[in-house]
Amino acid sequence: MKFIDEYRDAESANAFAREIRRITTKPWTIMEICGGQTHAIVKYGIDELLPKKIRLVHGPGCPVCVTPLESLDRAIQLASRDDVIFCSFGDMLRVPGTSKDLLSVKADGGDVRIVYSPLDALEIAKKNSNKKVVFLAVGFETTAPANAMAAYLAKEQNIKNFSLLVSHVLVPPAMEVILASPNNQVQGFLAAGHVCTVMGYKEYEPIAEKYKIPIIVTGFEPLDILQGLYMCIKQLEEGKKNVENQYSRVVLLDGNPVAKDIIKKVFCTVMRKWRGIGEIPNSGYSLNKDYESFDAEKIFDLQDIVVEEPSECISGLVLQGVKEPSECSAFGKLCTPEHPLGALMVSTEGACAAYYRYKGHGKEDNSMDE
Amino acid sequence: MCLSVPGKILSIKGDDPLTRSAKVSFGGTVKDINLAYVPEAKIDDYVIVHVGFALNTIDSEEAEKVFKEIEQIQIMEKKAYEEDIS
């Protein structure tokens, strides 16, 4: 496929890897933000092409992984109701809540449906006027335009039996939490290309300046990631700290103005709890006052629950780049993709699941010598 | 979840800016995709698609840049190799 195959060419990838080895003189720790990038890095063995001095740590950019248990429990409560058709992206169904997941609600007879797009959930609402249709609206800035459009069209078209259970998260506040932590080890970032397709990358400039760190807007194919790493390492070696755009075939400085406009009309910025990290101010979207009548949290009488993560799970430290999956005592033993303890083992974009699948049950050190 | 896939626009339907849609081919698999966020998109353009929405058109000129950089690396390596053996 055009714009995919040529970005997976092994010879080109090796040329970048050789160039990275040539310019690297010091040890550097670089974090890729997005779970899609983590998956590609581990799947294609990109980390193993790098010199040992380069350490990649995996960021919090996996919405499935950071959606808090409370949101999942609320989703499970709603999905269990007889008067509700509950719609979700497929990858949320196996994420464990406190006592069960959405898939087991479905197995117990709940009307839980997997949709490709939030507009599919809107269509289901139009066809089932005797039911309340709830869509689980999770995701980063990439998914916000689609979810915002579902709410916007529901209002325009006066569809009253449709609502959204919103648990949206935003990338820049999480980057700041990582950088401000006394345990921070991250010296350079690969920013998430599709998040920036929507939002642009102006908002990263103050972060780069404040924390004196290079930030490279990066795509998702092996060549994108290697070029992003090359640009980041080059800046680190030269003592620079700029925002650069590797993914220029898709990302513009200002992002997508039409998408940003709809987001602004529908959502407002709120404090959000991140699974494994905790509450971060201004790190999420909720529906704003004009769209309250489409907010499932306001329409339904949901119990306010506060729950704790299993104590063995170190997802929070992995998400912040402080620990690696294989440093967890439960990794591959108590916690596997079949029986996940934490969300990083559930989603294919979670670092734990990627390590389990592509590196065996523990991280092997196969990186090349310089 | 931020996975977005490039696809080629085969045909376009409707002129309402919010619900204009296209048949988009992803290596042969064709899906209906909302074009609200790419008002400039036309037939034969490649778009990057996420959960049923095109988020942007792909700039084919910018797409070539990475290959030009690889070419430069390979030319430099060849030169260094030739200098090495001479």
Side-chain angles (χ1 to χ4, degrees):
Chain A
M1 274 166 73
K2 196 175 173 190
F3 297 118
I4 292 187
D5 296 338
E6 64 270 38
Y7 290 89
R8 295 181 183 175
D9 176 64
E11 180 42 45
S12 304
N14 278 320
F16 262 127
R18 288 193 300 272
E19 188 61 6
I20 287 173
R21 288 200 289 274
R22 189 182 71 79
I23 64 165
T24 305
T25 66
K26 299 188 190 98
W28 302 110
T29 298
I30 299 169
M31 174 179 274
E32 82 281 356
I33 297 287
C34 179
Q37 293 167 330
T38 304
H39 186 248
I41 285 168
V42 183
K43 178 177 176 185
Y44 294 106
I46 291 169
D47 48 345
E48 291 167 15
L49 289 174
L50 301 174
K52 271 188 177 165
K53 286 193 174 91
I54 303 299
R55 182 169 159 248
L56 296 185
V57 290
H58 316 301
C62 162
V64 178
C65 306
V66 300
T67 300
L69 265 177
E70 287 87 345
S71 293
L72 286 160
D73 285 347
R74 284 193 192 105
I76 288 161
Q77 261 186 59
L78 284 173
S80 306
R81 290 172 60 125
D82 290 338
D83 58 344
V84 163
I85 298 175
F86 195 86
C87 301
S88 169
F89 295 129
D91 42 6
M92 292 305 293
L93 262 65
R94 283 194 57 244
V95 188
T98 307
S99 59
K100 54 175 161 180
D101 57 24
L102 284 167
L103 200 62
S104 54
V105 175
K106 189 177 167 67
D108 292 342
D111 196 345
V112 178
R113 303 190 191 180
I114 296 174
V115 292
Y116 164 65
S117 162
L119 294 187
D120 298 342
L122 199 59
E123 284 304 310
I124 291 171
K126 286 182 200 171
K127 287 179 187 148
N128 295 273
S129 53
N130 58 332
K131 292 270 191 178
K132 294 168 181 161
V133 174
V134 182
F135 175 69
L136 178 56
V138 296
F140 278 94
E141 292 93 326
T142 314
T143 318
N147 292 345
M149 184 61 89
Y152 190 84
L153 288 177
K155 192 174 184 188
E156 287 271 299
Q157 299 171 1
N158 200 21
I159 301 168
K160 292 196 166 133
N161 63 327
F162 178 75
S163 62
L164 299 103
L165 182 63
V166 181
S167 191
H168 257 282
V169 277
L170 301 169
V171 166
M175 285 169 76
E176 288 222 52
V177 166
I178 291 165
L179 290 169
S181 158
N183 296 326
N184 174 49
Q185 298 166 10
V186 177
Q187 295 165 295
F189 273 114
L190 303 188
H194 292 142
V195 165
C196 298
T197 306
V198 174
M199 303 304 285
Y201 52 95
K202 272 187 184 156
E203 59 187 330
Y204 296 93
E205 277 161 9
I207 299 177
E209 202 170 313
K210 181 174 173 188
Y211 296 97
K212 303 191 181 354
I213 189 166
I215 300 174
I216 317 294
V217 178
T218 303
F220 295 81
E221 295 301 330
L223 280 193
D224 290 322
I225 293 168
L226 280 160
Q227 189 181 26
L229 285 168
Y230 171 69
M231 290 161 82
C232 190
I233 294 163
K234 193 159 183 281
Q235 278 204 40
L236 287 166
E237 290 282 344
E238 292 171 357
K240 292 181 179 162
K241 43 187 186 295
N242 302 321
V243 180
E244 283 186 283
N245 182 13
Q246 180 277 329
Y247 201 32
S248 57
R249 67 184 182 277
V250 173
V251 176
L252 303 170
L253 177 62
D254 289 316
N256 185 321
V258 190
K260 286 203 289 193
D261 187 47
I262 294 272
I263 290 174
K264 214 171 152 188
K265 280 187 174 132
V266 172
F267 289 134
C268 58
T269 308
V270 294
M271 158 97 79
R272 179 73 67 206
K273 185 174 178 185
W274 294 51
R275 193 171 193 172
I277 296 179
E279 286 186 338
I280 306 177
N282 301 315
S283 70
Y285 283 141
S286 273
L287 291 165
N288 67 28
K289 276 206 163 359
D290 295 341
Y291 287 83
E292 263 179 0
S293 58
F294 298 94
D295 189 340
E297 291 204 48
K298 302 229 161 76
I299 297 170
F300 295 94
D301 182 25
L302 294 171
Q303 288 163 25
D304 205 14
I305 347 156
V306 179
V307 283
E308 295 300 323
E309 293 286 340
S311 58
E312 299 92 338
C313 181
I314 62 161
S315 285
L317 296 171
V318 177
L319 284 170
Q320 293 173 75
V322 178
K323 294 242 179 192
E324 292 198 8
S326 46
E327 291 177 70
C328 177
S329 63
F331 179 77
K333 299 181 188 99
L334 274 176
C335 183
T336 63
E338 289 74 34
H339 299 286
L341 273 189
L344 285 184
M345 190 57 101
V346 177
S347 168
T348 54
E349 293 182 358
C352 297
Y355 273 57
Y356 188 92
R357 182 162 174 199
Y358 296 112
K359 288 180 182 288
H361 298 185
K363 186 180 185 293
E364 289 156 24
D365 190 357
N366 295 328
S367 51
M368 287 186 185
D369 289 328
E370 295 92 300
Chain B
M1 185 181 269
C2 290
L3 179 75
S4 310
V5 189
K8 187 181 181 181
I9 296 181
L10 302 178
S11 62
I12 294 178
K13 196 173 80 180
D15 45 20
D16 178 289
L18 294 181
T19 55
R20 195 171 80 113
S21 72
K23 297 265 179 220
V24 175
S25 168
F26 303 93
T29 308
V30 178
K31 279 186 114 62
D32 283 317
I33 301 302
N34 179 296
L35 298 182
Y37 298 128
V38 285
E40 75 287 1
K42 52 189 192 307
I43 292 173
D44 288 340
D45 278 353
Y46 278 80
V47 281
I48 192 94
V49 173
H50 176 69
V51 299
F53 286 79
L55 293 181
N56 209 348
T57 49
I58 300 176
D59 184 326
S60 51
E61 210 168 290
E62 288 293 323
E64 284 304 309
K65 280 190 175 168
V66 64
F67 304 106
K68 285 185 186 140
E69 184 153 4
I70 289 163
E71 232 176 79
Q72 286 307 312
I73 292 171
Q74 286 167 335
I75 290 168
M76 228 173 55
E77 284 181 335
K78 200 173 162 205
K79 211 169 135 195
Y81 175 75
E82 283 166 359
E83 275 169 15
D84 239 21
I85 54 168
S86 64

